[in-house]
Amino acid sequence: MKYRKLDENGDYTIGRHNELYEGTEAVAQAVKTRLLLLLGEWWENRQDGTPLFEKVLGQRLRTDETPDEIDLVFSDRINGTQGVSDITKFESSIDVESRAYKADITIKTVYDTEFSISLSSGASLLEIKM
């Protein structure tokens, strides 16, 4: 699998040397790109995308609630990514006071390798660290 690299602004790099990821790095970039694509944002398929505003941000959460519904949103997007074979770890939490969501996720690829990502919402819409 090959996947185009993104620049510091999140735009695809075109016409530059070493502009493609391969293998595990390509899968990681594909996961990041899929998570950051908002529902309805892509003109070719308005049904594709992460329902960030619809199901994640600003949800009213009680202190006894778990983030299961939000976890499902992100795990569905990750599992639907080409090159992902499994999610081997998914730990999440919600700070009810600030409505901030955090998740640490380990993803297994079809290349029999793993990589980890951290998701967080709150101060910014969605931050992804790899």
Side-chain angles (χ1 to χ4, degrees):
M1 174 178 179
K2 292 184 179 184
Y3 208 86
R4 188 166 301 281
K5 291 181 181 180
L6 301 180
D7 66 15
E8 60 279 351
N9 298 317
D11 296 323
Y12 288 115
T13 57
I14 298 174
R16 299 181 189 161
H17 183 66
N18 288 336
E19 61 191 26
L20 297 175
Y21 286 121
E22 293 187 38
T24 303
E25 288 180 315
V27 177
Q29 184 63 60
V31 166
K32 182 177 182 178
T33 302
R34 279 183 50 86
L35 290 173
L36 290 174
L37 177 69
L38 299 176
L39 181 64
E41 183 177 22
W42 187 33
W43 63 273
E44 257 188 29
N45 184 353
R46 299 273 185 206
Q47 305 304 330
D48 192 16
T50 303
L52 198 62
F53 294 105
E54 296 80 2
K55 295 191 176 182
V56 177
L57 298 176
Q59 297 300 310
R60 294 184 180 191
L61 301 166
R62 299 185 316 265
T63 55
D64 62 338
E65 265 185 316
T66 61
D68 292 342
E69 186 175 332
I70 296 171
D71 293 350
L72 186 59
V73 167
F74 291 121
S75 63
D76 283 350
R77 292 295 290 166
I78 293 167
N79 280 320
T81 305
Q82 180 183 352
V84 170
S85 64
D86 195 18
I87 295 174
T88 58
K89 179 183 119 183
F90 199 117
E91 295 175 356
S92 64
S93 63
I94 294 176
D95 181 333
V96 179
E97 294 290 320
S98 65
R99 295 189 196 165
Y101 172 86
K102 292 181 182 179
D104 292 313
I105 307 163
T106 303
I107 300 163
K108 186 174 181 181
T109 72
V110 294
Y111 303 105
D112 206 25
T113 57
E114 290 185 340
F115 65 93
S116 296
I117 63 171
S118 293
L119 301 176
S120 62
S121 69
S124 62
L125 289 180
L126 183 63
E127 186 174 320
I128 301 172
K129 295 181 182 175
M130 304 185 89

